[in-house]
Amino acid sequence: MTHSLRIPDLPIPVRPGALRPGGVGPGHAGDPAVNDVDVIRVRGDARLAGTVHVVGAKNSALKLMAAALLAPGRSVITNVPRITDIAIMGEVLRRLGCGIRFDADDPVDPMVAHGGVARSRSVVIDVPEQPGTEADYDLVRRLRASICVLGPLLARLGYVRVAHPGGDAIGSRGLDMHISGLTRMGAEISGEHGFVIASAPHGLHGAEIMLDFPSVGATENLVMAAVLARGASVIDNAAREPEIVDICTMLNQMGARISGAGTSTLHIAGVPGLRPVRHATVGDRIVAGTWAFGAAMTRGDVTVTGVEPGFLEVALDKLVSAGGLVETRGDAFRVRMDDRPKAVDVVTLPYPGFATDLLPMAIGLAAVSDGASLITENIFDGRFMFANEMMRLGADIKTDGHHAVVRGRERLSGAPVRATDIRAGAGLIIAGLCAEGVTEVSHVHHVDRGYPDFAADLRALGVEVEPGTAPEEPDLTI
Ligand code: EPU
């Protein structure tokens, strides 16, 4: 039996066959089928070399699409990555009554000029005067980020029901800061039958909110609520990620009055209404960072374009400490590693600290470095779950709570492994490049959720990517 990546009931085309080797040709564009093979095979002893262009950030585009709900009329978001998560968010908005169309991007992804399929799209969102008020579990369980419709719908309509997303493979993922912040703005919030139900029949009012932790999702939901609240709001200890700056920029273009984006304190003066907008998504620093670590791990030479290198300052600095050469220019950077990397310690922190989404790449680098690295994860309590898969590749990892000690090996050993989440999947594939023999990563639909064309990018960087078939499942009925 092969695993299917079809998402039933999604009428829009999602990224076709992104990780299926050979599945990314013009003939597949627009094909509503996703992958029919959920496995990718890479040959080890590889070296990444060449140029790769990175399109817009998943974690920005998803929220920009939700932010469009704040203004009736047509908004257009460009440089949106062609990935499964975006397709699901499109469906969330469609079920809320929006018209959604994915168009060719403008400007076109530069990889197209080199014979590739466009990895970005423009999304045209027609928002009705009265959108729906419910995001159901069917979609929220597939896309945790659906929770970001909570703030904008509550602000616009005074009522919303969003399925509680629950935890996932990287941790428990609470919502308490979203809820307490909205409550301070006058919302009444309850939980029933797996739904978060929020109402503010007389509208939201401005509030001073101090977050316990600079949560990305809570900051976004609260900003999207505060822009239409009566009066002024202050969000302290706010997240400072480039994706937060991106959404604040878009909201200000829509007529919002937000200052302080990119700092820990956001000041928001509520306005009575917003207008639709056209906005380009900021480049994906996590995809860019994945290639940067891939270059270092494989002793390669990779130029990454499409992302401001300053967004990766701490990560690139780690690669320099590991012995890499890093050059930056405009919205591009180059990472070259000539010798075996030296072990470096890494601590994940909210931006501008080392991104938790690059933790699997940091572990992969440590696994092949000369010496021992101490890797500390401070954001998600389950992020080390994937370390067991990395150990199947021969990595020497010992975890204790939120620390991992990784003793580097000259070389890993190819094996079948399983992707448990987007970043773990990408990290395992890259680690497979440093292994002897073939590494087969299954459940790669996780990677399709966040990387528009991982297999094609690997091939463009000189890697042999082979078709893989999921093993037959035995019949276990009794
Ligand atoms: N948290 C709470 N209560 C809250 C909110 C968060 O306890 O009310 C905790 C979470 O459980 C977690 C930590 O705070 O332990 C950080 O959560 P945060 O809200 O900052 O993360 P998020 O908004 O859920 C986004 C990205 C993640 C990325 C994190 C951290 C999206 C869709 N997701 O998640 O990206 O790791 O910020 O930077 O934007 C990924 O792309 O693979 C991914 C997981």
Side-chain angles (χ1 to χ4, degrees):
M1 186 184 99
T2 56
H3 295 269
S4 166
L5 291 191
R6 275 171 207 280
I7 300 175
D9 307 319
L10 278 185
I12 50 170
V14 293
R15 182 70 188 89
L19 271 171
R20 181 180 52 198
V24 281
H28 295 262
D31 180 349
V34 195
N35 281 343
D36 51 16
V37 178
D38 194 12
V39 167
I40 189 172
R41 259 203 218 140
V42 290
R43 193 164 286 284
D45 295 322
R47 177 174 182 269
L48 293 179
T51 297
V52 65
H53 179 75
V54 167
V55 298
K58 164 180 86 80
N59 289 347
S60 205
L62 290 169
K63 324 307 170 54
L64 301 177
M65 289 170 75
L69 285 168
L70 284 161
R74 173 169 292 186
S75 283
V76 180
I77 302 164
T78 64
N79 200 27
V80 170
R82 211 171 163 199
I83 52 175
T84 322
D85 275 12
I86 291 291
I88 300 173
M89 183 53 102
E91 187 56 20
V92 170
L93 297 185
R94 201 191 294 274
R95 290 194 199 174
L96 288 168
C98 299
I100 298 287
R101 203 177 73 225
F102 290 91
D103 276 354
D105 204 8
D106 177 20
V108 177
D109 169 11
M111 292 302 266
V112 175
H114 299 95
V117 174
R119 279 122 3 112
S120 62
R121 282 280 190 248
S122 291
V123 186
V124 181
I125 306 171
D126 286 303
V127 179
E129 288 291 340
Q130 275 298 315
T133 54
E134 180 161 323
D136 61 28
Y137 186 52
D138 173 37
L139 291 173
V140 176
R141 73 184 166 83
R142 297 171 202 198
L143 179 67
R144 198 180 187 283
S146 314
I147 196 70
C148 66
V149 301
L150 186 68
L153 288 178
L154 181 62
R156 253 199 83 192
L157 307 169
Y159 179 80
V160 58
R161 267 166 65 93
V162 183
H164 195 298
D168 64 11
I170 59 173
S172 43
R173 316 198 69 171
L175 287 180
D176 51 303
M177 287 182 265
H178 300 239
I179 290 168
S180 64
L182 292 172
T183 305
R184 284 194 84 118
M185 293 165 82
E188 282 176 22
I189 304 192
S190 58
E192 264 170 41
H193 307 298
F195 277 86
V196 178
I197 303 165
S199 69
H202 307 295
L204 295 170
H205 54 74
E208 294 201 2
I209 298 163
M210 165 70 89
L211 295 178
D212 292 343
F213 176 89
S215 154
V216 172
T219 302
E220 289 160 343
N221 249 329
L222 297 176
V223 168
M224 286 191 275
V227 288
L228 288 184
R230 279 188 318 278
S233 295
V234 180
I235 304 175
D236 238 320
N237 201 21
R240 300 162 59 189
E241 272 71 359
E243 296 77 26
I244 302 282
V245 177
D246 202 24
I247 195 173
C248 290
T249 304
M250 171 165 147
L251 290 169
N252 281 341
Q253 285 163 351
M254 294 170 81
R257 292 173 56 203
I258 307 167
S259 60
T263 75
S264 300
T265 308
L266 297 173
H267 291 269
I268 302 143
V271 296
L274 296 174
R275 55 182 177 271
V277 73
R278 182 183 174 91
H279 178 85
T281 313
V282 70
D284 197 318
R285 67 197 161 95
I286 305 301
V287 175
T290 303
W291 296 122
F293 272 74
M297 286 166 66
T298 61
R299 300 180 214 181
D301 184 353
V302 174
T303 298
V304 181
T305 63
V307 172
E308 154 71 50
F311 296 166
L312 283 160
E313 198 174 340
V314 177
L316 293 177
D317 195 56
K318 286 288 165 195
L319 297 182
V320 171
S321 303
L325 295 169
V326 176
E327 290 167 19
T328 62
R329 185 156 44 88
D331 74 344
F333 64 85
R334 177 181 174 190
V335 175
R336 201 180 99 200
M337 182 76 79
D338 294 333
D339 302 314
R340 184 173 175 201
K342 292 191 279 284
V344 288
D345 295 342
V346 167
V347 179
T348 67
L349 283 170
Y351 189 84
F354 189 97
T356 175
D357 289 341
L358 290 174
L359 179 109
M361 301 31 162
I363 295 220
L365 179 73
V368 295
S369 289
D370 188 7
S373 308
L374 177 62
I375 313 284
T376 304
E377 165 62 26
N378 286 315
I379 314 295
F380 290 112
D381 50 25
R383 194 114 232 188
F384 285 137
M385 296 270 280
F386 92 104
N388 292 316
E389 297 300 306
M390 202 64 115
M391 286 188 238
R392 286 184 48 74
L393 296 178
D396 180 350
I397 306 171
K398 285 203 173 49
T399 59
D400 184 5
H402 64 132
H403 299 292
V405 174
V406 186
R407 292 186 179 81
R409 295 222 156 117
E410 181 78 49
R411 215 164 178 214
L412 300 175
S413 167
V417 289
R418 177 190 165 128
T420 46
D421 72 276
I422 304 174
R423 312 301 171 188
L428 288 165
I429 295 171
I430 300 277
L433 304 179
C434 307
E436 189 190 349
V438 170
T439 292
E440 189 171 89
V441 182
S442 67
H443 297 75
V444 287
H445 58 276
H446 286 296
V447 183
D448 279 342
R449 291 184 42 206
Y451 293 80
D453 213 339
F454 208 69
D457 285 345
L458 282 171
R459 273 192 242 103
L461 294 173
V463 171
E464 240 183 89
V465 185
E466 297 169 3
T469 311
E472 284 286 320
E473 297 272 335
D475 181 0
L476 296 177
T477 44
I478 51 172

